[in-house]
Amino acid sequence: QQQQQQQQQQQASRHFGLGEPASPGPARATAGSAVEWEEVVGGLDGVRAFRHSASGEVRRGQPPSGWVELIADGGARYYWHVDRQVTQWERPQ
């Protein structure tokens, strides 16, 4: 299962040119997290899209900055920091 998650994440990462998360593991939901954008399941009009967690703004394509929650093909969630170009499985705080 871990190998399948890694393969799924690699496929999703290629969409934005991301690398693999540093340490695979289950995502943890925490209050007051630093995640600014969440992937819109299914995108908009066939384009990957993201919703800003505070304003509700929906944006097609890559968000401008901050942490983004992405969804791999199998439904696993992982996190990407746009500015630093890093990914990880654990939800940032």
Side-chain angles (χ1 to χ4, degrees), residues 58-90:
V58 175
R59 175 182 212 105
R60 290 184 183 144
Q62 180 175 318
S65 63
W67 281 106
V68 180
E69 181 181 83
L70 299 169
I71 304 168
D73 292 342
R77 295 177 188 275
Y78 65 101
Y79 303 89
W80 164 45
H81 196 280
V82 176
D83 303 319
R84 291 187 265 159
Q85 291 296 303
V86 296
T87 57
Q88 64 187 42
W89 288 106
E90 289 190 7

Side-chain angles (χ1 to χ4, degrees), residues 22-46:
S23 55
R28 293 179 295 165
T30 57
S33 127
V35 174
E36 294 179 45
W37 297 89
E38 299 167 353
E39 186 168 11
V40 174
V41 177
L44 288 176
D45 302 323

Side-chain angles (χ1 to χ4, degrees), residues 5-50:
Q5 283 182 333
Q6 288 175 338
Q7 289 172 344
Q8 290 169 344
Q9 193 277 328
Q10 286 174 341
Q11 291 169 352
S13 294
R14 283 195 277 274
H15 185 79
F16 289 119
L18 305 175
E20 280 188 56
S23 55
R28 293 179 295 165
T30 57
S33 127
V35 174
E36 294 179 45
W37 297 89
E38 299 167 353
E39 186 168 11
V40 174
V41 177
L44 288 176
D45 302 323
V47 177
R48 205 168 189 184
F50 301 88

